[in-house]
Amino acid sequence: MIRDRLERPVRDLRLSVTDRCDLRCSYCMPHATYEWLRREEILSFEEIVRLTASFVRLGVEKVRLTGGEPLVRSDIERLVAKLRELDGLRELALTTNATRLASKATTLRDAGLDRINVSLDTLDAETFRRITRRDGLDSVLAGLDAAREAGFRPIKVNMVVERGVNDHEILPMLDYCGERGFALRFIEFMDVGNANAWREEKVVGAREILETARTRYAVESTGRDEASDTATRFRLTPLDGGASVDVGIIASVTQPFCTHCSRVRVTAEGRVVTCLFSSTGTDLKAVLRSGATDDELDDALRAIWRVRDDRYSEERLAEIRDETYDPKRRAKIEMIRLGG
Ligand code: SAM
Ligand code: SF4
Ligand code: SF4
């Protein structure tokens, strides 16, 4: 099995299938200055499948389709079906903003998609507009219901918690997810990219999220399923009765988890990126389009992984504690291009 410099295997692949999106979330993209990739720059489905097969040979077991918004890429179901045929792939998942999920949930399920995560930061239409700079809350809620009807289990809701924006919605989101049987993942606001005006004061940390939850829920810690998981898990049960909620907190700012990070990312234009906070990646599209054999492709990926020593979030926490952290010191790839 291949390992990086810190002895971490490669297990999870996040595949960005497009940088296009129908929303403009303030924490994800530089709205005014962003330049979209051109169509010919983007990997074809055949190239994506070939690259994924190579990663699976190196040890990847889980693949997550992301973006940009993966459901704006036409015919995404065809890619799902092709990836599902790969031997050795244990799980195929998708992260979506769900604006288009209502009409696609059943075909995605039929194509072989195993799991779905829906990003939803608020239940209030005005706050939704403020965060995403678009309308669309109703279509997202309809998308979530359609995913449940299509049989996806579990359905996870991802909520990025940003102080002064939606931190007052921690309890309403718990109630909403509890009533519908959705799992809820609270995500600490991160300084990915360069343009989201991240400040430490805007981060609502895991401890504070749990404190808020405890005002109305009993909190039982259930740990991490696997060491490389991003979320620490909890079972939250309403103090006044009712169904419990499976909660995860992705505390990459206040409780980083680089030590066991086995995630690799591929951008829509075929750059392999070994950390969410990388400034650059390695262009594999050139290798794919140069007629390389499968062995040559595997060797190229091995060479990238073997020299990986990323642990950005751990370094950031040390610097935050020393009061030396400057989020702008390193130019980072924008989240909309990198995939979450
Ligand atoms: N468009 C899809 C969506 O929104 O679900 C997939 C791509 S999006 C980049 C993937 C995830 O990254 C979303 O759950 C989003 O909330 C999260 N994300 C984006 N910017 C973030 C930030 N600054 N801090 C924390 N999470 C962020
Ligand atoms: Fe689009 Fe997702 Fe980024 Fe929002 S978080 S702008 S939905 S890619
Ligand atoms: Fe992995 Fe980089 Fe995130 Fe650390 S900061 S968990 S190395 S992606």
Side-chain angles (χ1 to χ4, degrees):
M1 185 194 302
I2 177 147
R3 301 236 171 212
D4 71 7
R5 281 202 177 136
L6 303 177
E7 288 298 318
R8 299 168 297 189
V10 59
R11 288 263 180 258
D12 304 274
L13 170 61
R14 307 270 168 107
L15 275 175
S16 173
V17 295
T18 178
D19 67 334
R20 308 257 155 181
C21 187
D22 49 357
L23 301 182
R24 298 285 182 274
C25 302
S26 52
Y27 50 64
C28 174
M29 68 174 300
H31 188 213
T33 56
Y34 187 73
E35 264 184 51
W36 305 99
L37 292 168
R38 293 187 312 278
R39 187 174 290 262
E40 65 275 15
E41 291 180 276
I42 294 200
L43 294 188
S44 67
F45 286 169
E46 289 65 28
E47 288 168 333
I48 292 175
V49 172
R50 208 171 152 224
L51 200 49
T52 307
S54 181
F55 272 116
V56 169
R57 287 193 290 274
L58 265 52
V60 160
E61 296 174 335
K62 296 186 194 172
V63 170
R64 175 170 296 280
L65 301 177
T66 176
E69 172 45 43
L71 300 189
V72 307
R73 177 127 184 204
S74 55
D75 242 4
I76 187 77
E77 303 85 343
R78 194 165 65 81
L79 177 64
V80 168
K82 277 169 169 287
L83 289 171
R84 207 66 218 76
E85 285 170 10
L86 289 176
D87 280 340
L89 185 61
R90 195 153 57 83
E91 188 180 294
L92 182 57
L94 172 97
T95 301
T96 174
N97 66 25
T99 55
R100 300 170 184 216
L101 188 56
S103 61
K104 286 190 174 268
T106 304
T107 43
L108 286 166
R109 182 95 183 128
D110 291 347
L113 187 69
D114 299 311
R115 281 167 180 257
I116 216 154
N117 283 42
V118 169
S119 302
L120 175 65
D121 303 324
T122 174
L123 296 166
D124 174 71
E126 191 48 48
T127 311
F128 186 92
R129 201 173 300 125
R130 178 175 168 202
I131 295 172
T132 67
R133 295 154 170 148
R134 295 285 186 273
D135 287 318
L137 178 61
D138 287 347
S139 36
V140 175
L141 299 179
L144 271 160
D145 289 338
R148 193 173 48 170
E149 271 160 41
F152 285 104
R153 298 286 185 280
I155 295 166
K156 292 183 187 167
V157 172
N158 289 356
M159 175 186 185
V160 177
V161 187
E162 193 176 338
R163 191 178 310 285
V165 176
N166 64 344
D167 49 334
H168 59 289
E169 291 199 62
I170 291 171
L171 292 170
M173 284 290 276
L174 278 167
D175 298 342
Y176 167 81
C177 289
E179 280 157 19
R180 285 160 184 77
F182 300 148
L184 180 56
R185 295 286 174 265
F186 293 110
I187 305 178
E188 290 182 351
F189 176 41
M190 297 183 288
D191 57 321
V192 277
N194 312 293
N196 62 15
W198 183 91
R199 282 182 286 118
E200 194 197 334
E201 306 81 76
K202 289 182 156 190
V203 178
V204 182
R207 191 178 299 174
E208 195 178 334
I209 292 169
L210 287 175
E211 261 166 35
T212 304
R214 279 200 182 90
T215 59
R216 284 219 284 104
Y217 283 79
V219 175
E220 182 196 343
S221 170
T222 51
R224 275 182 216 272
D225 283 354
E226 293 173 35
S228 63
D229 282 356
T230 52
T232 321
R233 303 268 302 274
F234 301 88
R235 185 172 306 110
L236 267 62
T237 310
L239 294 172
D240 57 2
S244 1
V245 195
D246 166 0
V247 167
I249 304 191
I250 302 176
S252 53
V253 179
T254 64
Q255 298 163 17
F257 34 77
C258 303
T259 310
H260 298 287
C261 177
S262 58
R263 283 169 291 285
V264 65
R265 293 177 162 82
V266 175
T267 66
E269 84 272 39
R271 289 189 163 272
V272 176
V273 180
T274 56
C275 179
L276 200 48
F277 299 91
S278 297
S279 313
T280 172
T282 310
D283 179 13
L284 256 283
K285 182 172 60 192
V287 178
L288 281 165
R289 293 187 181 172
S290 71
T293 63
D294 286 351
D295 283 347
E296 284 163 348
L297 193 54
D298 294 0
D299 284 345
L301 295 181
R302 266 192 210 100
I304 294 168
W305 195 257
R306 282 209 176 108
V307 298
R308 174 184 191 247
D309 60 1
D310 306 287
R311 44 186 293 279
Y312 188 91
S313 292
E314 290 180 352
E315 290 164 356
R316 175 183 51 210
L317 183 61
E319 291 179 18
I320 287 175
R321 285 182 176 147
D322 292 351
E323 298 184 8
T324 56
Y325 184 60
D326 173 7
K328 297 211 182 309
R329 191 169 58 216
R330 185 197 287 192
K332 292 165 259 164
I333 305 174
E334 296 301 339
M335 187 66 139
I336 192 139
R337 186 162 285 188
L338 191 51

